[in-house]
């Protein structure tokens, strides 16, 4: 097949005409490619294209490795695009996008020719075209290419395609990578494993987009650190698997927390405040800092406006809702829930901070009775209203 | 025969003249190793929620949170320590003498549960008292008091409100003063600071608490001043004072035993709200009235009595002093 022929077949779908690469196709290859292309087009029939099947195709190509690799990537993207369509959460918009992606890819597969590349510029062009094929706009492509330190094109392509495969749209991918360029330094295998882990947890597409935005370390952190957090949530806090997924996707910052502190936060909510598991998940309780939780809850408790439920879960007064305590701004909290003033709350916060400091100090010194301060006070101060006769 | 002996013995035992020991005073061999399930502090809080919730209405939550949080201290300057720099040091910490400020404002507002004596035109509050507190919203703490050059401490940390009854008493030089329930000694010390006491009688029923009173006087007041003011410390029953020393005093301070609200919310030990002391607590208002009556009887005609408690309770405050 000649170059001219390839061009004729679908010239109108070309995006960058300059990226025409000379062909070295064999007839057999084209057929295989076409077959694959058709498989891609048949995505709606849930054709599971596995790595294995793709790999089986590759030995047919007597190309240079790089070309193979790039083709492979293309095929993977296309095929997985199809595979993804099989997932239950199908959005019409993505449908169309993937369709375009698939279609244009097919076209490219059929039409675009590849040459063994040595020069960086062609590699770059290849990269650009791949990116465009995945659904990135020119603007996106420019942004991705301008990330410093600039990654190896294949590395960039690998990471980007992994994210696309997980169902994240091109725009969020671009935003995330710009914000956290360290993602581009990840080894491919690591990325692989992490992607499959996230898929197993049920975090993909929109959920992953959110997590990626807040907490990109979901990709960079060690598996054992994620495991630790998940373990705390499952074994210590006794959340169900679905609840854990909900938590991770809605409050991704829990991944950054120390497992011990996360457990303490849960225990505070469960035992001190009487908040049960489902309420905790529903109100995104775990996203708030323990300081804020303690401040607001202790304030309400001491005001007499919040009671810890007894064994039967009852209180003498109706407790305010979690959202009215934690989700609202401080001003609204003070006026609508606490019925107090900002001044009072400020002083209270200072006193509480000092109490906590002294509590932790006394824990550390292992002596729960009088601290130094207290001893001095006993000698010098007159607690006039203190002890009765004994 | 044996049974006769036994019953005889029992009879004897019944007749034996054992002094009546209050349950609390009996020697306790074993102390609890775990915390009580329903601590007295919680009982106290429940009691306060019920009474003060009604008494104060919307103001109660604010009072409640401040009772449950750390209290604010005032530093009563020890005039006998002769340290001029003390006031400066305290000012440097951004504390202010509220007595001085009140004077400059021209009025004095009584606060925690005390009924000021009626003020004739000539009444002025007790002199020579300086007490520093931090400004509103400032949660700083005072450093512990230090020993001055004269061998006494430079200031005494107490609840600032405790000073108000002493201020209200309006001491004048040469007064004979009685402090009917003096221990642990903060108000007694303040009385001495005025330098107006020709005689000061400090009394408290409890001997252990009188011991603390002694310590305070020892640490803050030099021997010569104690001698000059003829300070007499006793441990008698305050209710008997009418008979003991009727019409003897120019100024009488009756700082009655009360539910010690703040203390009862924090300290579990010997808490008056524990169930074993319920009767005692219920008898408090009567005890307070009796002490006030005794104090009144002990006052000379034309003298002043100040009745104070460290409780917010209407019952103990207003009703007790009719």
């Amino acid at each position: 097949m000649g170059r001219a022929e390839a061009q004729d077949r679908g010239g109108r779908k070309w995006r960058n005409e300059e990226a025409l690469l000379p062909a070295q196709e064999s007839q057999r290859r084209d057929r295989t490619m076409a077959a694959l292309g058709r498989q891609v087009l048949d995505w709606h029939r849930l054709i599971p294209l596995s790595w294995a099947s793709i790999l089986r195709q590759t030995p047919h190509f007597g190309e240079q490795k790089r070309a193979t690799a790039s083709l492979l990537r293309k095929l993977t993207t296309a095929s997985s695009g199809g595979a993804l369509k099989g997932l239950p959460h199908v959005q019409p918009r993505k449908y169309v996008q993937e369709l375009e992606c698939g279609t244009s890819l097919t076209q490219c597969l059929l039409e675009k020719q590849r040459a063994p590349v040595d020069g960086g510029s062609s590699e770059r062009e290849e990269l650009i075209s791949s990116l465009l094929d995945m659904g990135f706009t020119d603007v996106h492509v420019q942004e991705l290419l301008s990330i410093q330190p600039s990654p190896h094109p294949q590395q960039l392509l690998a990471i980007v395609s992994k994210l696309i495969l997980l169902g994240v749209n091109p725009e969020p991918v671009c935003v995330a990578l710009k914000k956290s360029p360290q993602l581009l330094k990840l080894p491919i295998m690591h990325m692989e494993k992490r992607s499959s882990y996230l898929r197993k947890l049920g975090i993909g597409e929109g959920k992953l987009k959110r997590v990626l935005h807040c907490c990109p370390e979901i990709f960079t952190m060690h598996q054992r650190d994620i495991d630790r957090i998940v373990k705390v949530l499952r074994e210590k806090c006794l959340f169900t698997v679905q609840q854990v997924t909900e938590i991770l996707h809605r409050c991704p910052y829990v991944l950054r927390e120390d497992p011990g502190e996360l457990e303490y936060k849960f225990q505070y909510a469960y035992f001190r405040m009487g908040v049960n598991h489902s309420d905790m998940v529903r109100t995104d309780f775990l996203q708030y800092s323990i300081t804020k939780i303690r401040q607001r809850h202790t304030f309400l408790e001491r005001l007499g406006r919040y009671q810890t439920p007894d064994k039967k879960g009852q209180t003498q007064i109706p407790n305010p809702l979690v959202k009215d305590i934690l989700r609202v701004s401080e001003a609204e909290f003070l006026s609508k829930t606490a019925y107090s003033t900002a001044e009072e709350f400020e002083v209270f916060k200072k006193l509480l901070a000092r109490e906590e400091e002294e509590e932790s100090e006394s824990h550390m010194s292992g002596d729960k009775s009088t601290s130094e301060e207290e001893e001095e006070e006993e000698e010098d101060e007159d607690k006039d209203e203190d002890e009765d006769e004994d | 025969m044996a049974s006769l002996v036994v019953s005889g013995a029992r009879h004897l035992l019944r007749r034996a003249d054992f002094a009546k020991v209050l349950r609390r005073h009996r020697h306790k061999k074993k102390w609890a190793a775990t915390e009580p399930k329903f601590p007295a502090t919680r009982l106290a809080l429940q009691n306060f929620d019920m009474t003060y919730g009604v008494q104060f209405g919307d103001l109660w939550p604010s009072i409640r949170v401040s009772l449950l949080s750390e209290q604010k201290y005032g530093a009563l300057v020890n005039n006998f320590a002769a340290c001029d720099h003390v006031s400066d040091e305290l000012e440097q910490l951004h504390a202010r003498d509220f007595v001085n400020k009140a004077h400059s404002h021209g009025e004095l507002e009584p606060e925690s549960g005390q009924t000021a004596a009626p003020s004739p035109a000539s009444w002025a509050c007790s002199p020579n008292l300086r007490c520093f507190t931090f400004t509103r919203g400032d949660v700083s703490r005072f450093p512990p008091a230090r020993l001055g050059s004269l061998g006494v401490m430079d200031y005494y940390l107490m609840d600032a409100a405790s000073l108000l009854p002493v201020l209200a008493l309006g001491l004048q030089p040469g007064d004979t003063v009685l402090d009917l329930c003096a221990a642990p000694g903060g108000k007694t010390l303040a009385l001495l600071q005025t330098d107006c006491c020709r005689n000061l009688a400090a009394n408290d029923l409890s001997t252990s608490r009188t011991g603390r009173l002694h310590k305070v006087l020892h640490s803050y007041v030099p021997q010569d001043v104690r001698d000059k003011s003829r300070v007499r410390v006793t441990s008698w029953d305050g209710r008997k004072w009418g008979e003991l020393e009727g019409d003897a005093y120019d100024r009488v301070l009756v700082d009655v035993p009360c539910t010690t609200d703040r203390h009862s919310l924090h300290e579990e030990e010997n808490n008056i709200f524990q169930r074993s002391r319920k009767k005692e607590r219920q008898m408090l208002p009567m005890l307070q009235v009796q002490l006030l009556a005794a104090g009144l009887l002990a006052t000379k005609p034309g003298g002043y009595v100040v009745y104070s408690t460290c409780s917010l309770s209407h019952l103990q405050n207003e009703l007790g002093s009719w």
Side-chain angles (χ1 to χ4, degrees):
Chain A
M1 297 257 163
R3 182 177 168 181
E5 249 186 87
Q7 226 175 341
D8 290 338
R9 208 170 285 131
R12 61 196 144 89
K13 282 291 179 177
W14 279 115
R15 281 215 196 83
N16 33 351
E17 320 249 302
E18 312 79 49
L20 243 185
L21 299 164
Q24 282 184 40
E25 311 306 302
S26 71
Q27 208 161 11
R28 202 144 126 251
R29 183 196 166 191
D30 278 352
R31 257 186 273 129
T32 325
M33 276 164 58
L36 276 166
R38 252 176 271 130
Q39 279 185 310
V40 167
L41 278 177
D42 280 294
W43 53 258
H44 62 279
R45 284 202 216 145
L46 290 171
I47 298 160
L49 290 171
S50 61
W51 266 116
S53 66
I54 294 163
L55 283 166
R56 254 178 272 128
Q57 313 292 342
T58 53
H60 295 305
F61 304 126
E63 309 299 324
Q64 290 193 355
K65 275 203 185 139
R66 199 181 288 134
T68 317
S70 62
L71 263 167
L72 253 165
R73 249 177 275 126
K74 284 214 156 170
L75 291 168
T76 323
T77 319
S79 61
S80 299
L84 255 179
K85 272 300 143 205
L87 290 174
H89 323 281
V90 171
Q91 307 291 330
R93 193 174 57 83
K94 255 203 280 269
Y95 177 109
V96 173
Q97 189 175 38
E98 231 107 36
L99 168 58
E100 278 174 11
C101 183
T103 323
S104 57
L105 259 168
T106 327
Q107 302 256 333
C108 295
L109 280 171
L110 293 171
E111 291 142 12
K112 206 158 151 188
Q113 307 301 309
R114 190 127 300 163
V117 282
D118 296 307
S121 61
S122 344
E123 205 178 59
R124 201 180 145 87
E125 283 155 1
E126 188 188 309
L127 170 66
I128 293 173
S129 59
S130 315
L131 288 173
L132 290 170
D133 294 336
M134 281 187 231
F136 291 92
T137 64
D138 292 313
V139 179
H140 290 152
V141 172
Q142 289 314 310
E143 287 185 348
L144 285 171
L145 290 174
S146 64
I147 295 174
Q148 291 301 327
S150 69
H152 196 272
Q154 283 183 0
Q155 174 76 3
L156 175 62
L157 205 51
I159 304 288
V160 166
S161 53
K162 274 274 153 284
L163 292 172
I164 297 280
L165 285 179
L166 280 165
V168 190
N169 287 339
E171 165 93 38
V173 170
C174 193
V175 169
L177 287 176
K178 255 184 65 181
K179 193 167 161 225
S180 329
Q182 66 271 23
L183 288 172
L184 292 167
K185 296 208 184 84
L186 293 171
I188 307 284
M189 273 326 287
H190 173 95
M191 199 66 186
E192 275 289 319
K193 284 201 201 132
R194 189 52 53 84
S195 308
S196 62
Y197 181 71
L198 291 176
R199 239 184 241 118
K200 190 179 81 169
L201 280 177
I203 302 175
E205 297 171 7
K207 294 183 186 175
L208 185 55
K209 165 188 164 190
R210 189 194 135 84
V211 177
L212 207 55
H213 183 72
C214 315
C215 196
E217 44 260 50
I218 196 167
F219 279 102
T220 53
M221 58 195 290
H222 281 290
Q223 182 66 33
R224 64 160 188 269
D225 293 332
I226 302 190
D227 282 340
R228 258 207 293 249
I229 300 288
V230 173
K231 191 169 169 187
V232 163
L233 290 173
R234 288 276 298 144
E235 294 172 24
K236 299 277 174 67
C237 310
L238 302 177
F239 284 107
T240 66
V241 176
Q242 286 106 321
Q243 285 172 333
V244 171
T245 308
E246 270 300 294
I247 292 170
L248 285 178
H249 125 245
R250 287 162 73 142
C251 319
Y253 295 109
V254 298
L255 289 168
R256 284 195 190 139
E257 289 201 41
D258 170 68
E261 282 175 19
L262 185 62
E263 193 183 342
Y264 178 81
K265 204 192 288 191
F266 166 80
Q267 288 180 338
Y268 192 91
Y270 195 76
F271 296 106
R272 269 303 281 280
M273 294 180 67
V275 184
N276 63 27
H277 287 90
S278 54
D279 283 337
M280 248 187 268
V281 176
R282 191 175 47 86
T283 57
D284 298 333
F285 189 96
L286 294 171
Q287 72 171 285
Y288 304 108
S289 77
I290 187 67
T291 311
K292 177 172 167 178
I293 295 168
R294 271 178 89 144
Q295 280 173 347
R296 294 198 182 183
H297 166 255
T298 312
F299 191 54
L300 287 177
E301 196 179 48
R302 292 197 189 169
L303 281 170
R305 300 203 194 275
Y306 197 101
Q307 280 178 357
T308 304
D310 62 9
K311 276 188 291 194
K312 294 192 195 139
Q314 291 166 340
T315 54
Q316 280 164 349
I317 53 158
N319 281 346
L321 300 172
V322 172
K323 71 172 168 73
D324 289 331
I325 303 173
L326 295 173
R327 186 137 96 181
V328 295
S329 69
E330 189 165 293
E332 206 180 319
F333 166 73
L334 288 169
S335 65
K336 300 270 179 58
T337 317
Y339 304 105
S340 172
T341 62
E343 190 191 10
E344 198 168 53
F345 195 40
E346 278 312 303
V347 175
F348 176 78
K349 281 195 269 191
K350 287 189 227 172
L351 291 174
L352 188 66
R354 198 154 65 187
E355 270 178 49
E356 287 174 15
E357 200 182 292
E358 289 179 347
E359 200 184 293
S360 68
E361 265 173 33
S362 72
H363 272 283
M364 288 205 293
S365 66
D367 168 38
K368 285 206 180 170
S369 54
T370 52
S371 65
E372 228 185 88
E373 263 272 357
E374 281 177 282
E375 274 174 42
E376 307 265 32
E377 285 186 18
E378 269 176 35
E379 277 170 39
D380 300 338
E381 284 143 16
D382 172 39
K383 297 182 184 145
D384 241 354
E385 58 286 311
D386 75 6
E387 306 136 0
D388 242 297
E389 302 102 7
D390 48 43
Chain B
M1 179 72 168
S3 59
L4 267 172
V5 172
V6 170
S7 61
R10 220 179 283 139
H11 199 62
L12 269 168
L13 283 166
R14 234 178 276 133
R15 268 222 215 109
D17 195 13
F18 286 124
K20 219 187 201 160
V21 182
L22 282 178
R23 190 172 152 194
R24 294 182 296 120
H25 294 163
R26 272 186 258 148
H27 170 65
K28 191 163 174 178
K29 272 186 282 211
K30 176 169 171 274
W31 291 92
T34 53
E35 283 179 0
K37 286 215 183 83
F38 217 84
T41 47
R42 190 123 76 95
L43 289 167
L45 188 57
Q46 275 187 346
N47 181 296
F48 295 156
D49 276 332
M50 275 195 301
T51 35
Y52 300 153
V54 173
Q55 186 180 322
F56 291 106
D58 287 335
L59 294 174
W60 170 234
S62 219
I63 303 171
R64 191 186 198 271
V65 69
S66 63
L67 279 175
L68 289 169
S69 306
E70 184 182 327
Q71 76 176 108
K72 193 162 181 168
Y73 285 97
L76 175 69
V77 177
N78 186 7
N79 298 324
F80 307 124
C83 313
D84 297 316
H85 55 92
V86 176
S87 293
D88 296 331
E89 274 174 18
L90 292 171
E91 294 243 342
Q92 288 229 321
L93 295 170
H94 304 290
R96 297 287 172 266
D97 177 10
F98 74 85
V99 181
N100 191 21
K101 244 201 317 182
H103 277 151
S104 57
H105 280 167
E107 60 166 351
L108 200 60
E109 295 167 276
E111 281 187 331
S112 75
Q114 61 114 6
T115 327
S119 38
S122 60
W123 177 86
C125 64
S126 305
N128 303 324
L129 290 168
R130 285 179 294 160
C131 186
F132 284 78
T133 53
F134 289 103
T135 49
R136 185 185 166 115
D138 187 344
V139 299
S140 318
R141 285 176 175 160
F142 285 105
R146 290 168 308 186
L147 213 53
S149 50
L150 291 177
V152 288
M153 306 291 253
D154 49 5
Y155 53 76
Y156 184 80
L157 291 175
M158 62 195 285
D159 192 303
S162 297
L163 197 58
L164 297 172
V166 178
L167 285 164
L169 203 46
L171 262 66
Q172 284 168 349
D175 277 343
T176 39
V177 186
L178 169 64
D179 188 350
L180 206 49
C181 312
K187 293 191 183 70
T188 319
L189 180 62
L191 288 168
L192 283 171
Q193 294 292 326
T194 60
D195 202 27
C196 295
C197 306
R198 181 146 43 105
N199 286 309
L200 174 61
N203 178 70
D204 200 278
L205 183 63
S206 155
T207 41
S208 62
R209 278 158 58 84
T210 334
R212 281 185 66 184
L213 173 58
H214 272 294
K215 271 206 212 125
V216 168
L217 292 177
H218 212 81
S219 313
Y220 282 85
V221 187
Q223 184 68 47
D224 55 330
V225 178
R226 274 183 274 151
D227 293 337
K228 191 183 90 182
S229 298
R230 281 180 273 248
V231 179
R232 183 193 74 190
V233 180
T234 49
S235 297
W236 304 329
D237 186 346
R239 293 173 289 186
K240 306 226 165 50
W241 228 269
E243 307 142 24
L244 286 171
E245 290 181 324
D247 290 336
Y249 293 96
D250 295 308
R251 299 286 185 268
V252 177
L253 177 61
V254 188
D255 183 28
V256 293
C258 58
T259 47
T260 59
D261 292 358
R262 182 179 279 278
H263 182 76
S264 299
L265 287 173
H266 294 277
E267 290 300 316
E268 188 59 33
E269 185 124 338
N270 265 329
N271 194 313
I272 198 165
F273 283 91
Q274 65 198 36
R275 296 184 215 268
S276 54
R277 292 179 78 178
K278 184 170 173 186
K279 203 54 187 250
E280 187 188 335
R281 185 164 44 86
Q282 286 172 338
M283 301 288 277
L284 264 182
M286 193 171 85
L287 171 64
Q288 291 165 343
V289 170
Q290 287 173 334
L291 284 166
L292 176 57
L296 286 165
L297 287 170
T299 323
K300 283 185 200 164
Y304 295 161
V305 177
V306 169
Y307 168 87
S308 74
T309 67
C310 26
S311 167
L312 294 161
S313 161
H314 194 69
L315 173 65
Q316 295 173 53
N317 300 336
E318 267 97 276
L319 300 182
S321 56
W322 60 86

